[in-house]
Amino acid sequence: MSTVTERVAIYPGSFDPITKGHEDIVRRALGFVDRVQVAVAHRRTQKKDGLFDIAQRLELIRTSFADEAAVEVVEFDGLLVDYARRTGANLIIRGLRALSDFEYEFQMALMNRQLWREFETVFLAPAARWTFLSASLVREIASLGGDVSEFVSPHVLAALHERFGPGTA
Ligand code: PNS
């Protein structure tokens, strides 16, 4: 007798802020898993300084997927493997935009599997028009008054405008 187990993937990252590239990856993952946990890493685990605090990032992501019951938005502190093991996700989703992403992503995938051997990483390519897009570029352009309306959803744009002003474009 076979049992049907739910396939749960975790999509970890900084999401500072969520971009249309991230949203695209989540929707692609929903094509082959039952649920996606979008997991915002606490700053303690990252080298970079943040623009939005964790609560704001979570709220922006929740708004992006308000219409999607299969997407859960969570935060985590400490090791990703420990968090994932507790929640039952054994698949990591990561977007791969260009060859330049590869070395870091490959290293993380192998290390995560070393830490928990059932933890597999699935790399997804975003739509071609988002391959040059990154949250750090969005932050930089928005902070300098540039137009990022093409790269983020309207509610994220509103949050960036609130932070930096509507900009010049
Ligand atoms: O979007 P980012 O900043 O590239 O995401 C990196 C992230 C958050 C996925 C990575 O730093 C991470 O998993 N941090 C949690 C701590 C951890 O598990 N580190 C070991 C990774 S092998």
Side-chain angles (χ1 to χ4, degrees):
M1 199 177 83
S2 68
T3 51
V4 179
T5 45
E6 201 185 25
R7 195 172 278 273
V8 183
I10 190 160
Y11 179 36
S14 312
F15 305 105
D16 187 25
I18 185 161
T19 67
K20 286 188 180 176
H22 296 129
E23 291 170 358
D24 179 64
I25 293 292
V26 171
R27 295 194 197 280
R28 283 173 198 283
L30 287 173
F32 58 90
V33 298
D34 300 303
R35 277 196 293 130
V36 174
Q37 291 179 341
V38 182
V40 180
H42 270 253
R43 207 161 294 159
R44 173 163 89 78
T45 67
Q46 298 170 262
K47 296 180 196 84
K48 310 167 232 171
D49 281 337
L51 170 63
F52 293 109
D53 64 29
I54 300 286
Q56 289 172 304
R57 295 183 214 179
L58 292 167
E59 192 188 320
L60 292 174
I61 303 167
R62 286 195 179 112
T63 304
S64 290
F65 297 107
D67 61 336
E68 197 51 84
V71 175
E72 190 189 352
V73 184
V74 297
E75 60 191 289
F76 75 101
D77 204 352
L79 281 178
L80 177 63
V81 277
D82 291 339
Y83 178 77
R85 229 195 298 235
R86 283 200 302 274
T87 65
N90 66 349
L91 205 65
I92 311 173
I93 301 291
R94 291 287 288 175
L96 208 52
R97 291 164 300 189
L99 201 58
S100 51
D101 282 344
F102 182 76
E103 199 172 332
Y104 168 65
E105 293 296 338
F106 192 62
Q107 191 182 16
M108 254 199 327
L110 292 184
M111 183 56 86
N112 275 320
R113 199 167 56 195
Q114 185 72 25
L115 295 172
W116 179 24
R117 68 190 164 100
E118 286 160 48
F119 211 19
E120 292 293 352
T121 300
V122 174
F123 296 114
L124 294 179
R129 67 184 193 280
W130 308 133
T131 48
F132 60 91
L133 178 56
S134 71
S136 57
L137 277 180
V138 165
R139 288 197 301 273
E140 182 175 328
I141 295 164
S143 73
L144 297 172
D147 180 11
V148 293
S149 56
E150 205 185 319
F151 311 128
V152 295
S153 289
H155 63 286
V156 179
L157 188 67
L160 287 165
H161 285 174
E162 203 172 302
R163 181 63 63 95
F164 297 120
T168 51

